Structure formats: structure tokens, C-alpha cells
Amino acid sequence: MAKVKKFGNCVVLAGANAARQIQQQGLQQSMVSTLVGASGGPKWLSISQLDRVLIGEFFRERTTPIATLGSSIGSFRNMCYATANPMAALETLEYGYVNQSYASDRPSPSEITAAGEKILLEVLGGEGAAQVASNPVWRSHFVTVRGRGPLASEKKALLAPALLASALANAISRRSLSAFWDRVVFHSGSAPSVAFRNLSTVNTPLSADNVCPAVLASGSIPLVMAGVPTPAGAPAGNYRDGGITDYHFDLGFEHPPGLVLYPHFFPYMVPGWFDKSLRWRWVRGGAMDNVVLVAPSPAWVAQLPFGKIPDRDDFVKLSTEERLKYWNAVTEAGKQVAEDFFEMWQTGAIADELIEVGGNQAPHKLALAMSA
């Protein structure tokens, strides 16, 4: 007989080892060694209130090092954690992201890139980049990719067919991405705390000079935004969205001993950008042994305006006024998700509410069944 969830706005999925620890001890921030943030642009607004709870409550007493790993908007979010005033940084990021506007309905890649850089500079202020690069507790890892051959070009006639070739090769084998892209991970500290086992990877230290370019590059979607020229200290090239290789991550990376906390907008994980329609590639329960994934429930999403969380199409399908109303409504509703997680964590109810995932089980199917 299926158990009845008491907290209908939030789902918690956990691998076998993570579930066992939580059921024995509750969820303690000291158990967590790694925090992961996925690509997804505006989708993040569904969990921006959850980030507030994590920053302001769950990790408030954190003094031991924790690795953060992010691509695209996940890098933007994780960057905030490593500033001296993470709550203020997060609020500035949310405000700037929601209220971005453009002179036309079809802004150029350079216009969108300039807007993204402006948001980041406002979040970082004068000292933020140095704080992120040198933070002794929050060990940042921002994932970008460096395109090879025509994938380094800004000319659509060269870039578009090269992207298609990359996608077709990926459909045959994810390993083929290394023929097209180098994963470049910008990390704080003298050495990275996270190590990837697959695809061509280059590690580059963060500095005050490259934090903003690295995070901007991590979210620079090909054809939508311009690439970022070589950040300081990195190998020469044109840098783009880390979601190409690591959209939601395949969880096949080495991390410090402990649990991986994954605040996510979906109860599923798509390894790379080109894997969205390749459902057999989606992460299965066996890869989640040490992972705790916290996400809005399908039932919560269903009651939102339009029955979905925000995405990039909102910029073209909605007027600016409609989009702002919708996005602000989602961020406000996100308090329900954050409050559910907070209460589960504080009361210990998370031990009974979590959904254990293992083997070849599909996390999203379990989440849908349990939250119905």
C-alpha cells in the first residue's frame, strides 16, 4: 500500500545510502558534502525560495568546506552561495533575472549576453568575485564548454550545422561529445574538489578576474547568446553553456565523502543538453546512491499559471507584462515548496516523506505516482 504524502508541494527523492542515513539520523547539513545546480534558465524561479531556505537556514552554521557544482543558471545560483552576503546576492540575482527586458521581441545574442553580464556584475558588486574565488567554505565549480572548430564561431552559418552534427553524434554515443567540445571547469581552491570520469575535461582555477566571465560562459546558450572569449587563466577559445555536456549532470562524478544535495526544478535528471528527448539516457536510481534531490511536486506545478514552470519560450510567447506577472506568481508560489522542505527537515518528517530510488527505477515516475 502506497504511503500518503503529507507535504504535497515538495518531493524528496533519495538513493539507497542517502535514504538509509536520513531514516536513521534525519537530514543534517553536516552530512552534505556537495551541492549541485542544474541548467534550466527561468526554471530556477520555481525553487528560488528553496535556495533562500538553504542559504538562510539549512547551511547557516556551515563552517566545513562544501563543493558546489553547477552549469548555466546552476552556476549563477551557486555563485551567490560563495559571496559574503549570499542572501542579498540571491535576491539581486532573482530581481535582475525576472526583470530583464529588451528593446525588441527578438534581441540579438550580443544583447542577451550583455544583459546577463549586467546581472552578474550587479550581483557581485565590487568585491564579490574575489569572495567567490577565495571562499574557504564554498568551493565553487562552474562548468563551461569550449567549442572545437566551427563550434568556436559566432557565425550562424557555421555554428548551426556544427551543433546539429554534435547532437547527432551524441545520439549515437555521449562519449562522442569530446570530439566537439572540451568541458572546462572553473574551480576555487588550489585543486578541484570534484572530478569527472567522462568526456574531455580541463580544470582552471578561479580568480577575481575570471569569476564573472566563467559564470557568464556557463550560461551562454549557443545561437541564443554570444560565446565568451577566453576567461583569464583559461585555455584559449570561445566558451559556452556548460549544459551542453552537463545539463542536469549524469551524477558520474567524484565528490568529497558525504551526501549530494540537489535542489532541482524537476524530479528527473537529463545528463546533457542533447539528451532531452533520449529518455533512455536519463539518470536512473542506481546512480543516486548518495544523492538527495528536492524538487517541486508535479501536483504543485499543475496548479501554476499555464500549468508549468517558467522557461525561455516565455520571452516570445508572452508580453513583458504577462511574463512578469507569471514569473512573479511562480516565485511567490515557490514559498510553498520551500516551506514544505523546511518543515520536513526541522521536524524529521523527511525520513518518512522521502521516496527511495534505486536500481533502474525512473525517479520522475515514482515522484508522479507518489504526489498524485
Side-chain angles (χ1 to χ4, degrees):
M1 180 176 179
K3 61 184 178 182
V4 178
K5 282 179 59 64
K6 297 178 182 178
F7 299 88
N9 302 305
C10 176
V11 293
V12 179
L13 301 169
N17 182 52
R20 182 168 56 251
Q21 290 189 46
I22 294 170
Q23 287 161 350
Q24 292 173 351
Q25 307 171 50
L27 178 62
Q28 310 294 330
Q29 66 88 11
S30 58
M31 298 176 176
V32 178
S33 71
T34 310
L35 182 73
V36 174
S39 299
K43 299 178 182 69
W44 159 64
L45 298 174
S46 64
I47 58 168
S48 64
Q49 298 289 341
L50 178 59
D51 271 328
R52 282 171 166 79
V53 168
L54 294 176
I55 286 174
E57 300 293 339
F58 188 76
F59 287 118
R60 183 171 55 186
E61 306 298 328
R62 188 78 185 199
T63 57
T64 56
I66 178 171
T68 69
L69 176 64
S71 61
S72 196
I73 195 64
S75 292
F76 281 55
R77 294 166 51 218
N78 288 349
M79 180 192 74
C80 294
Y81 282 73
T83 61
N85 191 339
M87 189 68 78
L90 180 72
E91 291 171 350
T92 301
L93 173 61
E94 183 188 275
Y95 181 85
Y97 197 95
V98 169
N99 290 281
Q100 59 185 301
S101 60
Y102 302 93
S104 70
D105 293 336
R106 299 285 181 177
S108 68
S110 60
E111 288 178 290
I112 300 174
T113 299
E117 183 176 34
K118 181 175 182 289
I119 292 169
L120 287 174
L121 291 173
E122 289 174 347
V123 173
L124 291 168
E127 304 297 327
Q131 294 163 1
V132 172
S134 62
N135 195 307
V137 174
W138 293 93
R139 301 290 179 83
S140 301
H141 298 76
F142 306 131
V143 179
T144 70
V145 294
R146 181 179 58 160
R148 297 186 175 188
L151 289 167
S153 176
E154 292 297 335
K155 295 180 179 179
K156 185 175 181 180
L158 294 176
L159 180 57
L163 279 169
L164 178 59
S166 176
L168 292 173
N170 174 79
I172 297 172
S173 171
R174 180 162 154 76
R175 293 181 180 179
S176 69
L177 287 175
S178 288
F180 299 85
W181 308 95
D182 292 315
R183 177 198 283 125
V184 182
V185 181
F186 291 83
H187 65 87
S188 60
S190 58
S193 304
V194 171
F196 286 91
R197 300 169 182 157
N198 58 13
L199 307 182
S200 173
T201 304
V202 177
N203 294 305
T204 298
L206 281 169
S207 68
D209 293 330
N210 68 20
V211 166
C212 184
V215 175
L216 181 63
S218 186
S220 293
I221 306 166
L223 300 177
V224 176
M225 298 173 69
V228 176
T230 312
N238 200 18
Y239 286 71
R240 302 188 188 276
D241 195 326
I244 291 172
T245 54
D246 301 281
Y247 190 58
H248 299 161
F249 298 93
D250 62 11
L251 303 185
F253 55 85
E254 297 176 10
H255 59 84
L259 300 184
V260 175
L261 182 61
Y262 197 150
H264 194 21
F265 12 88
F266 295 131
Y268 60 84
M269 289 149 286
V270 179
W273 196 35
F274 300 124
D275 297 323
K276 294 177 186 179
S277 62
L278 309 180
R279 292 209 169 198
W280 62 90
R281 291 261 180 91
W282 290 15
V283 176
R284 297 286 172 164
M288 294 182 62
D289 194 40
N290 292 303
V291 176
V292 182
L293 186 148
V294 183
S297 71
W300 178 86
V301 174
Q303 55 83 39
L304 293 175
F306 310 111
K308 70 175 189 65
I309 62 177
D311 57 54
R312 285 192 298 110
D313 288 344
D314 298 335
F315 280 106
V316 295
K317 291 183 177 180
L318 303 175
S319 68
T320 299
E321 182 180 358
E322 290 170 329
R323 179 180 61 81
L324 289 175
K325 182 179 179 180
Y326 167 40
W327 284 15
N328 282 312
V330 172
T331 56
E332 180 66 21
K335 290 179 180 178
Q336 299 167 342
V337 178
E339 288 166 358
D340 269 14
F341 170 77
F342 180 81
E343 188 172 349
M344 279 191 278
W345 162 54
Q346 285 282 284
T347 63
I350 192 169
D352 296 320
E353 291 288 313
L354 65 79
I355 303 168
E356 184 174 340
V357 189
N360 199 41
Q361 290 177 309
H364 65 286
K365 292 183 179 179
L366 289 177
L368 187 61
M370 292 297 294
S371 65

